[in-house]
Amino acid sequence: MENESSNSLFHKAFNLDISRRDVLKTGSAGTLALAAGSIPLPFVSTGASAQTASATAAEERVVWSACTVNCGSRCPLRMHVRDGEITWVETDNTGLDEYGNHQVRACLRGRSMRRRVYNPDRLKYPMKRVGARGEGKFARISWDEAYQLLADNLKRIIAEYGNEAVYLNYGTGTLGGTVTKSWPPASSLVARLMNLCGGYLNHYGDYSTAQIAAGLNYTYGGWAAGNSVSDIANTRLLVMFGNNPAETRMSGGGIVYHLEEARQRSDARMIVIDPRYSDTAGGREDEWVPIRPGTDAALVAGLAHVLISENLVDQPFLDRYCVGYDERTLPEGAPANGHYKAYILGDGPDGIAKTPAWASRITGIPSRRIVQLAREIGSTKPCYIVQGWGPQRHANGELISRAIAMLAILTGNVGINGGNSGAREGGYSIPFERFPTLENPVDTSISMFTWTDAIARGPEMTATRDGVRGKDKLDVPIKFIWNYASNCLVNQHSEINRTHEILSDEDLCEMIVVIDNHMTSSARYADLLLPDLTTSEQMDFAMDANAGNMNYLIFADQVIEPLFECKSVYEMCSEIAARMGVGEAFTEGRTQEEWLRHLLAQNRRRDPDLPDFEAFREMGIYKRQNPNGFFVAYRDFRADPEANPLTTSSGKIEIYSEALAKIAAEWELEESDVIDPLPIHASTFEGWDSPDRARYPLQLIGFHCKSRTHSTYGNVALLKAAVRQEMWINPIDAQSRGIVNGDSVEIFNDRGRVHIAAKVTPRILPGVVALSEGAWYAPNRHGTDQAGSINVLTTQRPSPLAKGNPSHTNLVEVNKA
Amino acid sequence: MGWHEFPLVVFTVLAQCAVGAFILLGALILTGRLEEASLRRLNRPMLIIWVLMGVAFAASTLHLGSPLRAPNALLRLGGSWLSNEIFLGSLFFALGGLFWLLTLLDKVSPLLRKVLLGIAMLLGVAFMYATIHVYMIPTVPTWNTPFTPLGFFLTSVMGGALLAQLLLNLSGQGYRLMARLLPWLGALAIVVALGSSVAHAMSLAGIQSAIQSAIDLVPHYQSLLIIRLALLAAVLALWLFALRSMRHQPLVLCASFVLLLAAEMLGRNLFYNLHMTAGL
Amino acid sequence: MTQYGFYIDSSKCTGCKTCQLSCKDYKDLDVDINYRRIYEYAGGSWQADGDTWQPSIFSYYLSIACNHCAAPACVPVCPSGAMHKRSEDGLVVVDTDTCIGCKSCAMACPYGAPQYSARKGHMTKCDGCYERVAEGLKPVCVESCPLRALDFAPMEELHERYGNLAEVAPLPSASLTGPSIVIKPNRNARPVGDTTGSLANPKEV
Ligand code: SF4
């Protein structure tokens, strides 16, 4: 048996002494048994080990749990437990796995959950900061002290500055739960607690979708829906703008799986438009069109030029359903020739015809290909045009998101089976009422991206310059931050060095509370650090998957006892509520499990098909097909636009937006920021055509690393080794810098420096480098990050309309380190 | 260039030198009609051969992940060349050592000892043959070439001849015909080694898999090879110099042998670093 | 004897490595041991044309564990007999109680399957989850694949269902060891013997 028995993660992680901890005695027996049971020896002739295997097999339990991270999927995990220790992680193994009633299979990350639970980085007990902010020096304190410290400061700050000085930072570390969800923060238990204590400063938008949410809101009204990914089974042509489910929706019950299954059924051609030859392409695409980052709107304009001049647009659709395509539907207040057609054909204010040749120079795509592409899109019906969220995460992302949707609109693919709105794919979800978090008495709201500014210069921030909502300006700066299951305090927020500077000044933000599982780079900046339970250590219901036509709910049961002194966020908030004098109102007398039973019972009253608590617990995953078949976005609107108007001010699809024209006229914008009533192409700061390219010649974009969900799982050694953190660079750019595959390089601009290995690969457009977001920031003595954390290089300058993060708009230079 | 297979480098080089020397001296003993006194004088320093064999085998166990299970290495005798190698090597060590001991103690009849000697010499040859086959792996294109047996054989000849020379001179028998022929043998082997190394290096250019080219396996391969060849030239120079000047002869021969070990270990390490498979 | 083997659909494989990690979890492997390895083979070039670029590049993944070959390279070189081919299912397994850790099998295998564990002092490798197979289950990796790009069955079945291809670049010629695999090639796949591409992720395999 050799060393098998020492291979307990639990032991390795915490290096505990067997003789002193009972739990470990059993743990050790458990691993021995695991070794005997799952890594048996072929020639074990000895009856003894065979006996051990069968004797302990009986003791193994399987408990359903879930992976609750922000990957856009959601996976059930079947935890195999022996003697109170998770021995291995299985996933959905139910049924025959036929598409439509398929298994929801966890990805590599979920399968590594055991190493996240038993991670050496786990926070073990409450701690308070003793060094400087961010230095990472903490002293252990009792829970009582922690609660008291928190409540005292909260009371003090509310009394001194008011509730608007309290901020719930964006955080998606625990997603899709019912009790434990950290996102949206307004639906978290922390929000419930704060709402009982007078409220907090709201935020709008999110780091994933700020620009598209803001942009398409003016096109379609509200969050733009997309056809179910399953509907690709009904299309003939699939056009993906920066959509990369193979790296962003990786569950085996999620979008990438649906995409491949649906395409097998329709055999639709797939065109992938992306600066990277992504894993979604990877030989499955019929055509890959590499494009310069931030220029998708120019490509669309070039395509539109062909569509319009070759009469491939759906004129009846444009006339009936849209506003502002041509003079026929241009709103009255708009300038003459302010319509889209004029913009494209060169009759608009800029006088430039957006010919394929024009677009070609901007996008880097040969005009011949643009013409072909336009003809193919214009002549293939239905056509599923879809955008991921990479194209919009730019300084001109609002315009880009609207421009891509234009393609679907021009071709009349909105509201039909096999078509799409041009937004990201949608799907079905099972309605389920969550933990009530009550009303926030405070109306004021900022863009989630501007919280560092709100700390540094809050009262200077206005509605028309900084996008403050609910008030003309902020009255107080942020003084208290709740950071629950969030690494956005440092790692996932742009321009880490600026954040560091702002947070380092303890006179600005006075109290930072971090609730998390691990010592993240954000946790290092806490004043008070509260160790949270992982999903494995508590009971919850998990949901919110993007999952095409088949959605599901997961009973995430408690798998193991809480480790160390960790406590659930429910218990923490209850205790703090009690100290704030709202204890009873917070818990309503229920425990976490009682809440879950209560919520399920309530939901069953509305939806009797839901299983009862015990049945749900037993089945682990409850699946349901969309009872209405394929979800088609705006189907009703398409059927009868008068009876089912959109929520835009005109009730129609607004190609020309009067609301945006007004904003463009009224807002104070920084130089080179563009807000336009039409979905035009605009150059940006640090774009491909920026003069700054003289100094920083390479465009740097982020992408999603397969071994992390943003930063979650970023401390699991096995995952780090499986998909290494690397900067992608084309051999042409590498060669001119003397870089070969695997070399250590320095990426830098005025905001910071990063050292990381180079992946020299033809899979990326020359002139562009890419670094996956989410690596755990690890500065050396000189402040140079050694982990490949992209936010050392990104900017805090927000996009014009959404005031969102332009994470992919960066210029850098790269040298051999 | 890594040295992760250093135990094997030591094992193969020392064993090959020891076997080479043993066979050469054995041939002298069998055919040279040595009188009893000379035989005993020669036998004494032959201890060095067994010391080298001992070091070689000790080193080989360092290569194992579970040295305590080393006996399991014999389980596939007849089937696996590694089993055969270890078995034949051990048998050679045992019988050769027995011959040496019996000669030292002057036990059993000289004829019987000669029979034992002959058997041990044959075992030595078989041992060398098995070693070659351990590395003639069809899936390892850089090893599965005639250069592998040639290289191993040349190590035996060069190292064996020089070691035999040293032992003969130590025992005051440098006057014998064999002792006078050995430098020629050594020189010939070294010249062949020079030529074949170059040919081998050139042959590497033609070996590649989808992901690996033999010429890329060892950075600075050519420079390292030149160092090895220069060392071999120095070995020969010292060897010949030692035979001309009578003073400090054993010392200079010793130095020459040490250089030869260095050259061959470097060469053998290059060999191990050239490992690649036909696939991944 | 039934010979079991793997089906590898490289046309579906997105290189997500769930197979690798589910195996590492189930078998409780250390960081540096990969019973299943995902090879990224990529190549090609770019042509500049004025302001524009035209790529002619390719890349694809191959998920390779142990191929439980008909004529395994690892078995004949093993001096202890620890590395053996099971008669009941044709799976090639190392008896970790016998193995002396001489690494001969690792030197011989052209697929990188046997890997030495310094901590354990012996060789380790994919055993086809033969215990699960005996219970009628498939190996953990196969059941984990989010894209359903892996399968495991008796070779006759695999041949019937998926054909006979057992070699594409960067794998070695199937004639060397007779791997018990069937591959569905990616559209980008290059034939065995191709040297126009390179292994894009040498440190991940
Ligand atoms: S990270 Fe997402 S896809 Fe992967 S297991 Fe977790 S929920 Fe599933």
Side-chain angles (χ1 to χ4, degrees):
Chain A
M1 299 300 298
E2 304 270 310
N3 296 320
E4 315 272 24
S5 63
S6 69
N7 196 13
S8 160
L9 278 176
F10 193 77
H11 297 178
K12 277 199 289 194
F14 303 119
N15 202 12
L16 294 170
D17 187 338
I18 293 186
S19 60
R20 268 187 277 142
R21 294 276 303 244
D22 289 351
V23 56
L24 288 178
K25 254 186 237 155
T26 52
S28 151
T31 12
L32 250 163
L34 168 75
S38 69
I39 319 179
L41 307 158
F43 286 151
V44 178
S45 41
T46 60
S49 17
Q51 261 172 21
T52 324
S54 57
T56 48
E59 293 161 22
E60 187 180 88
R61 289 186 309 134
V62 180
V63 185
W64 286 89
S65 181
C67 177
T68 52
V69 300
N70 182 18
C71 66
S73 303
R74 179 77 50 251
C75 295
L77 302 176
R78 289 166 45 82
M79 306 302 230
H80 290 245
V81 188
R82 203 170 274 156
D83 293 319
E85 191 183 340
I86 303 169
T87 52
W88 68 283
V89 181
E90 205 183 359
T91 190
D92 185 6
N93 64 346
T94 59
L96 295 175
D97 191 36
E98 282 148 352
Y99 181 56
N101 187 27
H102 46 265
Q103 295 171 353
V104 177
R105 296 183 174 183
C107 77
L108 71 163
R109 304 179 292 261
R111 298 299 293 241
S112 305
M113 180 62 92
R114 185 166 61 102
R115 323 244 180 190
R116 209 180 130 221
V117 173
Y118 300 122
N119 194 288
D121 284 342
R122 272 297 291 267
L123 301 173
K124 302 183 176 74
Y125 27 73
M127 293 193 285
K128 69 172 186 209
R129 175 169 65 83
V130 290
R133 271 233 187 100
E135 205 184 350
K137 287 198 182 133
F138 295 96
R140 178 178 182 168
I141 56 175
S142 72
W143 274 106
D144 245 346
E145 284 171 85
Y147 294 143
Q148 205 54 52
L149 188 69
L150 198 160
D152 289 349
N153 276 284
L154 188 55
K155 281 182 197 156
R156 175 181 63 79
I157 287 170
I158 290 175
E160 218 168 302
Y161 302 96
N163 282 73
E164 285 185 27
V166 179
Y167 185 65
L168 272 57
N169 201 19
Y170 175 94
T172 59
T174 309
L175 216 70
T178 301
V179 177
T180 57
K181 63 192 295 186
S182 67
W183 184 87
S187 307
S188 70
L189 292 183
V190 180
R192 180 180 169 92
L193 166 65
M194 284 312 304
N195 289 340
L196 290 168
C197 301
Y200 60 93
L201 177 63
N202 295 290
H203 68 228
Y204 60 87
D206 59 69
Y207 287 83
S208 298
T209 66
Q211 288 89 328
I212 192 173
L216 288 185
N217 171 42
Y218 292 95
T219 309
Y220 288 111
W223 173 256
N227 285 26
S228 167
V229 65
S230 314
D231 198 31
I232 289 170
N234 301 318
T235 196
R236 287 181 56 216
L237 178 63
L238 174 58
V239 184
M240 312 262 261
F241 280 85
N243 195 14
N244 182 13
E247 292 170 76
T248 61
R249 295 281 186 272
M250 293 172 62
S251 166
I255 304 302
V256 65
Y257 168 65
H258 281 280
L259 169 65
E260 287 200 9
E261 289 291 335
R263 268 190 82 211
Q264 253 168 37
R265 282 157 180 78
S266 63
D267 206 23
R269 273 172 59 80
M270 178 165 85
I271 295 167
V272 174
I273 301 163
D274 198 315
R276 283 169 72 237
Y277 188 63
S278 68
D279 288 333
T280 301
R284 286 162 289 277
E285 83 290 2
D286 292 280
E287 210 178 324
W288 172 45
V289 183
I291 183 170
R292 284 200 188 100
T295 67
D296 301 69
L299 171 62
V300 172
L303 294 169
H305 194 275
V306 180
L307 290 171
I308 294 170
S309 45
E310 300 192 4
N311 214 5
L312 292 167
V313 298
D314 187 340
Q315 188 72 43
F317 177 83
L318 293 164
D319 290 346
R320 178 157 185 216
Y321 297 93
C322 307
V323 166
Y325 167 66
D326 54 19
E327 60 282 344
R328 272 179 278 191
T329 53
L330 190 64
E332 266 171 32
N337 281 343
H339 52 83
Y340 186 73
K341 194 172 173 182
Y343 165 71
I344 296 297
L345 296 180
D347 304 325
D350 65 358
I352 300 169
K354 310 303 177 304
T355 61
W358 170 87
S360 164
R361 197 182 62 81
I362 297 170
T363 58
I365 304 166
S367 19
R368 165 176 42 82
R369 288 191 89 183
I370 296 177
V371 174
Q372 280 168 0
L373 194 56
R375 287 180 185 154
E376 186 172 0
I377 291 170
S379 59
T380 317
K381 294 269 155 54
C383 175
Y384 192 107
I385 296 162
V386 58
Q387 61 181 309
W389 294 337
Q392 58 92 42
R393 213 172 289 119
H394 273 280
N396 52 2
E398 298 92 341
L399 290 169
I400 287 179
S401 64
R402 291 166 62 210
I404 295 171
M406 261 327 285
L407 210 49
I409 295 165
L410 285 172
T411 50
N413 275 300
V414 183
I416 58 172
N417 267 108
N420 186 30
S421 61
R424 192 158 191 180
E425 72 284 328
Y428 169 64
S429 57
I430 305 173
F432 196 95
E433 273 312 316
R434 307 298 181 85
F435 210 112
T437 51
L438 314 172
E439 277 290 300
N440 187 355
V442 173
D443 281 336
T444 322
S445 181
I446 58 170
S447 157
M448 52 75 223
F449 186 57
T450 58
W451 62 273
T452 25
D453 277 349
I455 294 175
R457 54 172 192 95
E460 292 167 21
M461 289 171 68
T462 70
T464 54
R465 196 174 52 225
D466 304 290
V468 173
R469 293 185 188 166
K471 249 189 187 176
D472 289 340
K473 65 177 279 293
L474 277 192
D475 293 326
V476 288
I478 293 173
K479 288 290 178 185
F480 187 111
I481 292 181
W482 284 97
N483 191 78
Y484 165 44
S486 166
N487 208 355
C488 288
L489 192 66
V490 174
N491 215 74
Q492 300 304 97
H493 188 50
S494 298
E495 209 171 339
I496 287 176
N497 288 326
R498 178 168 191 260
T499 309
H500 168 82
E501 238 167 69
I502 292 170
L503 294 183
S504 299
D505 187 342
E506 294 163 27
D507 293 336
L508 292 175
C509 182
E510 296 176 14
M511 182 80 184
I512 299 174
V513 178
V514 171
I515 303 172
D516 216 322
N517 298 133
H518 301 112
M519 184 57 90
T520 63
S521 27
S522 294
R524 296 173 67 84
Y525 284 77
D527 297 317
L528 184 59
L529 204 41
L530 304 179
D532 191 13
L533 298 181
T534 62
T535 308
S536 298
E537 292 152 80
Q538 59 188 321
M539 185 192 286
D540 205 351
F541 304 146
M543 52 201 84
D544 294 345
N546 284 296
N549 284 1
M550 190 193 86
N551 209 289
Y552 47 88
L553 310 175
I554 302 164
F555 194 116
D557 210 340
Q558 181 176 351
V559 182
I560 52 171
E561 288 303 311
L563 294 177
F564 311 106
E565 284 185 19
C566 300
K567 288 193 191 302
S568 69
V569 70
Y570 182 72
E571 183 176 347
M572 287 181 223
C573 288
S574 308
E575 291 281 347
I576 296 159
R579 282 162 178 82
M580 296 298 288
V582 294
E584 183 54 32
F586 183 85
T587 63
E588 296 180 21
R590 295 191 186 91
T591 64
Q592 183 158 338
E593 178 171 338
E594 284 162 356
W595 267 108
L596 287 166
R597 288 179 181 272
H598 165 74
L599 290 169
L600 183 60
Q602 273 198 327
N603 278 288
R604 272 168 53 85
R605 267 198 285 283
R606 207 183 21 77
D607 181 355
D609 289 346
L610 292 174
D612 70 25
F613 190 86
E614 300 308 331
F616 187 18
R617 187 176 207 169
E618 180 63 31
M619 68 176 68
I621 180 166
Y622 168 72
K623 301 172 183 172
R624 187 188 285 173
Q625 291 283 328
N626 185 349
N628 305 316
F630 295 96
F631 175 74
V632 173
Y634 309 114
R635 192 203 308 252
D636 297 345
F637 168 70
R638 181 82 190 242
D640 186 346
E642 285 74 33
N644 308 299
L646 301 181
T647 58
T648 54
S649 44
S650 63
K652 295 191 175 180
I653 297 171
E654 298 198 348
I655 297 171
Y656 180 95
S657 164
E658 289 185 279
L660 281 174
K662 188 157 174 279
I663 290 176
E666 288 174 0
W667 281 21
E668 296 168 60
L669 293 178
E670 282 208 48
E671 161 134 19
S672 89
D673 279 3
V674 176
I675 296 177
D676 198 279
L678 286 178
I680 64 168
H681 165 75
S683 293
T684 68
F685 63 87
E686 298 197 43
W688 72 279
D689 53 351
S690 156
D692 293 343
R693 278 192 73 190
R695 270 198 311 153
Y696 297 121
L698 297 167
Q699 286 187 279
L700 166 70
I701 56 171
F703 62 99
H704 285 200
C705 181
K706 292 185 284 187
S707 64
R708 291 188 303 271
T709 298
H710 307 299
S711 67
T712 316
Y713 285 102
N715 55 340
V716 175
L718 262 65
L719 289 170
K720 279 175 150 175
V723 183
R724 290 160 53 87
Q725 182 69 4
E726 294 164 321
M727 183 204 70
W728 289 35
I729 184 168
N730 186 285
I732 294 170
D733 297 315
Q735 206 169 29
S736 63
R737 291 167 175 78
I739 296 165
V740 300
N741 197 21
D743 273 355
S744 177
V745 295
E746 178 168 77
I747 322 168
F748 62 99
N749 59 19
D750 291 340
R751 294 180 288 272
R753 288 167 187 274
V754 169
H755 281 178
I756 199 67
K759 180 184 177 93
V760 178
T761 172
R763 294 177 55 188
I764 189 163
L765 180 70
V768 182
V769 293
L771 185 63
S772 63
E773 50 95 7
W776 286 29
Y777 172 58
N780 67 6
R781 276 183 301 127
H782 312 293
T784 302
D785 169 60
Q786 307 292 305
S789 189
I790 192 172
N791 281 323
V792 171
L793 303 161
T794 53
T795 178
Q796 284 188 10
R797 177 172 169 182
S799 65
L801 176 64
K803 304 300 174 194
N805 45 305
S807 303
H808 305 317
T809 304
N810 311 287
L811 292 178
V812 297
E813 175 58 300
V814 172
N815 286 333
K816 208 166 152 166
Chain B
M1 182 173 66
W3 288 87
H4 46 279
E5 302 292 10
F6 191 60
L8 289 182
V9 170
V10 171
F11 171 68
T12 55
V13 169
L14 293 189
Q16 281 158 8
C17 292
V19 170
F22 182 77
I23 289 173
L24 285 168
L25 295 178
L28 177 67
I29 295 169
L30 282 184
T31 61
R33 289 190 290 276
L34 268 64
E35 62 283 11
E36 196 53 27
S38 317
L39 177 58
R40 300 189 54 127
R41 238 183 305 138
L42 178 59
N43 191 58
R44 230 171 287 130
M46 277 175 75
L47 176 63
I48 291 175
I49 289 177
W50 309 118
V51 170
L52 291 181
M53 281 302 293
V55 173
F57 268 105
S60 77
T61 61
L62 292 182
H63 166 70
L64 298 185
S66 300
L68 294 178
R69 294 182 185 174
N72 285 3
L74 297 172
L75 289 177
R76 280 201 67 244
L77 192 57
S80 149
W81 280 109
L82 185 55
S83 292
N84 297 349
E85 180 197 30
I86 293 164
F87 177 72
L88 293 167
S90 312
L91 220 54
F92 162 75
F93 196 179
L95 295 194
L98 186 62
F99 162 80
W100 179 81
L101 197 66
L102 292 177
T103 308
L104 183 78
L105 302 177
D106 196 14
K107 291 276 159 64
V108 307
S109 76
L111 180 67
L112 214 59
R113 289 205 307 248
K114 280 200 175 169
V115 171
L116 194 56
L117 172 62
I119 294 173
M121 287 165 64
L122 288 177
L123 281 170
V125 173
F127 173 33
M128 292 297 93
Y129 183 74
T131 303
I132 287 165
H133 271 279
V134 168
Y135 296 97
M136 297 293 280
I137 309 172
T139 49
V140 182
T142 39
W143 287 354
N144 194 27
T145 76
F147 290 106
T148 298
L150 181 62
F152 286 12
F153 176 71
L154 287 172
T155 303
S156 283
V157 175
M158 294 183 293
L162 182 50
L163 185 54
Q165 180 97 67
L166 176 65
L167 297 182
L168 282 172
N169 287 34
L170 277 177
S171 57
Q173 308 197 40
Y175 59 87
R176 290 186 182 274
L177 175 63
M178 172 171 266
R180 277 179 283 130
L181 288 180
L182 283 175
W184 292 104
L185 182 62
L188 180 67
I190 286 174
V191 169
V192 175
L194 296 178
S196 66
S197 302
V198 174
H200 179 221
M202 282 172 13
S203 77
L204 293 179
I207 302 178
Q208 55 184 330
S209 69
I211 61 173
Q212 200 71 271
S213 286
I215 40 170
D216 296 335
L217 286 169
V218 187
H220 315 300
Y221 184 83
Q222 284 176 4
S223 318
L224 292 164
L225 189 62
I226 288 170
I227 293 176
R228 170 171 178 249
L229 298 183
L231 281 171
L232 282 181
V235 165
L236 188 59
L238 275 183
W239 189 345
L240 298 178
F241 171 75
L243 297 186
R244 289 188 158 233
S245 73
M246 294 312 279
R247 286 160 36 106
H248 308 306
Q249 218 180 51
L251 210 63
V252 180
L253 282 175
C254 243
S256 177
F257 185 61
V258 168
L259 278 190
L260 180 125
L261 288 182
E264 287 313 276
M265 287 191 190
L266 174 59
R268 193 56 44 83
N269 200 53
L270 283 174
F271 169 84
Y272 283 109
N273 273 277
L274 281 180
H275 174 265
M276 65 178 261
T277 72
L280 302 167
Chain C
M1 180 193 89
T2 313
Q3 172 68 59
Y4 279 88
F6 286 109
Y7 167 65
I8 302 145
D9 186 342
S10 172
S11 76
K12 278 186 172 175
C13 178
T14 60
C16 77
K17 307 193 177 179
T18 303
C19 49
Q20 180 185 79
L21 271 297
S22 63
C23 166
K24 286 180 92 154
D25 179 59
Y26 181 60
K27 297 291 193 185
D28 206 11
L29 304 183
D30 292 340
V31 176
D32 52 335
I33 305 283
N34 293 314
Y35 286 1
R36 207 168 248 294
R37 300 156 309 285
I38 291 74
Y39 297 89
E40 182 191 348
Y41 191 64
S45 62
W46 289 76
Q47 285 80 43
D49 178 10
D51 290 326
T52 69
W53 287 101
Q54 188 64 45
S56 53
I57 66 141
F58 66 89
S59 81
Y60 57 96
Y61 296 100
L62 275 180
S63 169
I64 299 292
C66 167
N67 302 324
H68 304 286
C69 302
C74 56
V75 170
V77 299
C78 176
S80 68
M83 189 66 81
H84 64 287
K85 192 167 173 64
R86 288 158 51 93
S87 54
E88 52 274 52
D89 47 27
L91 297 175
V92 177
V93 173
V94 58
D95 172 3
T96 53
D97 274 350
T98 306
C99 173
I100 61 175
C102 74
K103 306 160 197 114
S104 298
C105 49
M107 287 181 178
C109 173
Y111 296 95
Q115 290 167 28
Y116 176 68
S117 165
R119 186 171 61 76
K120 296 178 179 169
H122 57 69
M123 302 307 297
T124 61
K125 81 181 244 318
C126 160
D127 62 6
C129 287
Y130 66 87
E131 280 220 323
R132 288 173 61 92
V133 174
E135 284 175 39
L137 298 169
K138 303 214 169 189
V140 159
C141 54
V142 171
E143 291 199 342
S144 78
C145 179
L147 278 316
R148 282 73 169 173
L150 293 174
D151 202 354
F152 182 86
M155 285 308 288
E156 307 94 78
E157 266 180 50
L158 293 183
H159 285 143
E160 211 168 287
R161 256 185 279 162
Y162 306 116
N164 291 305
L165 184 68
E167 52 178 30
V168 295
L171 300 184
S173 161
S175 63
L176 277 174
T177 62
S180 301
I181 50 173
V182 177
I183 297 170
K184 180 170 178 192
N186 186 286
R187 195 184 312 170
N188 285 332
R190 294 298 189 264
V192 68
D194 177 78
T195 53
T196 62
S198 64
L199 180 62
N201 62 340
K203 296 205 169 118
E204 290 174 355
V205 294

